[in-house]
Amino acid sequence: MTHSRARQSLAAFLGSIAAIGLVSSASLAAAPAIPAPNQALLREVTRTLSSDAYEGRGPGSAVEQKTLDTIIARFKAAGLKPGNNGRWLQDVPTVTLAAHNFTPLTISGGSGAPLSFAHGTDFVAGSYRVVPHTEIKDSDLVFVGYGINAPELGWNDYAGLDMKGKTAVILVNDPDYAQESEDGLFKGRRMTYYGRWTYKFEEAARQGATAAIIVHDTFPAAYGWNVVESSWSGEQHFVATPNDGADQTVANGWVQKGVAEQIFKAAGQDFAALVKAAGQKGFKPVPLGLKASVGFDSSIARATSHNVIGIQPGKVAPNEYVLYTGHWDHLGHCKPDAKGDGICNGAVDNATGVAVLAALADMNRRAGPARRSQVFLAVTLEESGLLGSEYYARNPVFPLNKTVGGVNMDALAPVGPARDVEVTGGDKSELTAILHRVEKQLGLYESPEDHSERGHYYRSDHFSLAKRGVPMFAVGRGTDLVKGGKAAGQAASEDYTEHRYHQPSDEYSASWDFSGIAQETGLYYRLGRALSDGKAWPNWHAGDEFRAIRDKSLSAGK
Ligand SMILES: [Zn+2]
């Protein structure tokens, strides 16, 4: 018993050492030595940033400056230079809107009396335009299926339509959502960008629509109406733009499925039949012959937060860039738990990610500059909707078509090393080949993504860059732990999701094991250096949703 346990733990120990890169394989003899991640540094930065003194790192709060100073000090100690034209900080101006004072949503022109729907229970709405009052008056309703315009797939739900003055009625998710497999034009059950609700409002604006309404349905949305209602009540945060959102639709909103059924019935249409038609290639938009009206006021507040940017200039191609991104913000003061703790410390989310940024910078200091420049970007306002990274991507310090790619780090589990790697978003780009090479070097296998229908690729900071064409790694340690296997890894992950995620209990503990975070840091180091020591420009695969954007951006840079 004792003997076999000792052997087991020795094997685990050796496995974890190999996995975190302390033992280099023979093939590395010719390559530059890979420095070991500094576990003490990882622990210290995580502990500091998540301590009560930092009050949960709410952007714009009294502790923002202290948080920024701490990150800058770590970047300086790692030998980075200020990355924003001699400054460490990039200002991130934001606008916060809160809609209130709603008139009912009324639908006229159909059979029978006009329909009237109540705000909250029947519909929610808001504006992306920075205006104190929004009024939609008698706007023609058009059913545009899933609201997708994907030239690379030969799919356009707006084909032949001029949306000026009109309101688009749009289904949630994409046509493949109900499939078991990940096959099909829209990758089966795997979420695509076209299935995200944010995409649908963006596309409606590009089409020149006056307004856009998404029809909620619990199964394809994967959340109930209560989630829509609460997330569309109160404050909505946006990156400030020079035109104050004038290129957006006048109003966006959601209706309950039952409301949509009533509207389609008034139009003499069968909702279920049109949903079916919308899933077929060649679907044509259907004018409903009805007019929609709604009005509301918006309160407007402006603020400024900050991204921190550090750079290690490249030694051969300093005007080509590789990004490392992670958000520094968390929820600040939040609803007190049963013990009266009202600080959401954000230790895992995302003090760990900032610690990894600092540790990666430190490893690169020891290794010396790469061929290309390496940029370390600690972004703000991730928790408010990826605003810091969105602002950077709209206002890049380093041109996006000179940015080769990057690695994002968000919420690393404080448990031991794993045997596997989990990839978010699937095989979207030529980054996959680099990942497979690094997995092999580290002796790790790749696990399929858990819940690919949830679209996690579209929900962290790398996405702000990906949607503008920059290929970004969104990978991390899997749950098959060296000590305890999948059972231990999944139990830890469930404990975090249920008992800590976005709660005051996401707190640092001295008992945390940083060897797994160190393993992941080693993985990110290798992925980053593969890009920064290389000459290649890995692109999205043909047919991927971001390929055309990247091709256009790269050809403009030549
Ligand atoms: Zn979070």
Side-chain angles (χ1 to χ4, degrees):
M1 179 78 187
T2 318
H3 177 69
S4 85
R5 180 181 289 171
R7 273 180 43 180
Q8 218 173 26
S9 65
L10 178 65
F13 177 70
L14 292 174
S16 68
I17 288 207
I20 60 177
L22 296 176
V23 180
S24 56
S25 65
S27 66
L28 290 173
I34 293 178
N38 181 341
Q39 280 194 43
L41 175 65
L42 287 165
R43 180 181 291 277
E44 183 51 24
V45 177
T46 303
R47 189 191 63 79
T48 304
L49 288 176
S50 64
S51 63
D52 278 357
Y54 287 74
E55 296 178 39
R57 304 184 306 283
S61 74
V63 293
E64 170 163 342
Q65 192 58 50
K66 181 180 173 142
T67 305
L68 300 172
D69 289 344
T70 300
I71 299 169
I72 292 169
R74 291 296 175 179
F75 279 8
K76 270 187 190 162
L80 299 184
K81 303 264 179 296
N84 184 14
N85 302 299
R87 289 181 68 206
W88 287 103
L89 299 181
Q90 179 184 41
D91 298 349
V92 178
T94 60
V95 185
T96 297
L97 303 175
H100 58 279
N101 225 2
F102 282 85
T103 61
L105 169 66
T106 59
I107 308 290
S108 61
S111 54
L115 300 170
S116 176
F117 299 105
H119 178 251
T121 50
D122 297 333
F123 81 96
V124 293
S127 183
Y128 290 4
R129 294 190 182 189
V130 187
V131 290
H133 183 72
T134 298
E135 191 76 46
I136 304 280
K137 193 99 190 95
D138 292 333
S139 171
D140 288 317
L141 287 178
V142 186
F143 175 60
V144 297
Y146 289 92
I148 295 168
N149 178 18
E152 75 280 9
L153 304 177
W155 190 290
N156 184 4
D157 288 327
Y158 290 93
L161 200 60
D162 177 3
M163 283 303 294
K164 207 169 160 214
K166 301 188 177 85
T167 294
V169 180
I170 308 168
L171 299 174
V172 77
N173 215 316
D174 66 35
D176 287 353
Y177 74 84
Q179 291 186 20
E180 291 285 318
S181 77
E182 293 190 2
D183 304 327
L185 207 51
F186 293 95
K187 300 187 179 172
R189 67 194 291 270
R190 173 179 286 282
M191 176 70 89
T192 63
Y193 182 31
Y194 300 117
R196 292 279 296 149
W197 60 266
T198 49
Y199 165 80
K200 295 174 194 292
F201 292 141
E202 289 166 9
E203 186 58 35
R206 278 192 288 270
Q207 297 290 335
T210 290
I213 301 174
I214 295 175
V215 179
H216 175 261
D217 190 359
T218 300
F219 172 52
Y223 40 78
W225 176 255
N226 59 323
V227 172
V228 177
E229 192 182 343
S230 69
S231 55
W232 280 70
S233 309
E235 297 182 335
Q236 310 293 322
H237 307 283
F238 304 92
V239 160
T241 58
N243 66 8
D244 271 342
D247 54 345
Q248 301 294 317
T249 55
V250 177
N252 294 315
W254 293 67
V255 294
Q256 293 243 43
K257 187 181 172 189
V259 169
E261 286 166 346
Q262 285 182 59
I263 294 173
F264 279 66
K265 196 171 165 212
Q269 298 281 0
D270 178 352
F271 179 69
L274 283 185
V275 168
K276 208 168 167 205
Q280 306 301 315
K281 202 167 183 178
F283 164 80
K284 292 274 181 312
V286 181
L288 294 176
L290 303 175
K291 291 179 188 297
S293 301
V294 72
F296 54 89
D297 296 326
S298 298
S299 64
I300 300 168
R302 295 180 187 271
T304 302
S305 186
H306 303 85
N307 293 331
V308 186
I309 311 177
I311 184 170
Q312 183 196 54
K315 58 182 181 202
V316 178
N319 297 323
E320 297 176 4
Y321 306 91
V322 171
L323 291 179
Y324 299 90
T325 56
H327 73 90
W328 63 255
D329 66 299
H330 194 59
L331 307 174
H333 291 270
C334 57
K335 196 170 155 244
D337 63 11
K339 287 183 240 150
D341 181 357
I343 297 177
C344 276
N345 301 79
V348 164
D349 182 13
N350 185 32
T352 55
V354 178
V356 174
L357 275 181
L360 284 169
D362 171 67
M363 289 167 79
N364 279 290
R365 175 184 59 78
R366 283 180 275 146
R371 199 179 161 274
R372 290 162 158 161
S373 292
Q374 304 197 91
V375 176
F376 296 79
L377 184 55
V379 294
T380 184
L381 289 160
E382 189 270 352
E383 305 287 8
S384 309
L386 320 182
L387 299 192
S389 56
E390 172 70 15
Y391 187 83
Y392 179 88
R394 281 173 186 258
N395 306 276
V397 175
F398 309 104
L400 297 186
N401 58 20
K402 298 291 173 200
T403 304
V404 180
V407 189
N408 186 53
M409 44 224 72
D410 190 356
L412 288 80
V415 295
R419 298 188 181 94
D420 63 332
V421 168
E422 194 174 307
V423 181
T424 307
D427 177 15
K428 297 177 67 61
S429 73
E430 290 158 4
L431 294 181
T432 302
I434 296 173
L435 176 66
H436 287 171
R437 223 165 45 232
V438 170
E439 283 167 355
K440 223 172 167 180
Q441 288 166 3
L442 294 173
L444 301 170
Y445 74 91
E446 194 171 305
S447 289
E449 182 178 356
D450 239 6
H451 295 295
S452 67
E453 74 280 6
R454 291 187 189 164
H456 285 292
Y457 192 79
Y458 310 99
R459 294 162 67 171
S460 189
D461 292 306
H462 55 272
F463 174 58
S464 298
L465 292 141
K467 74 192 269 200
R468 290 177 177 82
V470 179
M472 296 287 292
F473 283 108
V475 304
R477 191 168 17 134
T479 54
D480 185 0
L481 300 186
V482 172
K483 279 185 211 160
K486 282 229 175 242
Q490 280 167 358
S493 153
E494 275 160 32
D495 172 66
Y496 170 71
T497 308
E498 280 172 36
H499 304 300
R500 299 173 204 286
Y501 174 72
H502 284 198
Q503 296 173 41
S505 47
D506 180 7
E507 282 182 326
Y508 168 79
S509 157
S511 68
W512 275 11
D513 178 356
F514 276 79
S515 62
I517 292 177
Q519 177 195 36
E520 218 163 336
T521 306
L523 171 71
Y524 293 148
Y525 176 88
R526 287 163 192 258
L527 295 176
R529 286 295 292 226
L531 293 175
S532 56
D533 283 328
K535 291 182 182 172
W537 285 83
N539 204 339
W540 305 92
H541 293 316
D544 187 84
E545 53 217 354
F546 307 124
R547 173 65 185 253
I549 298 163
R550 183 60 161 177
D551 286 347
K552 198 172 152 205
S553 157
L554 288 179
S555 66
K558 282 187 180 126

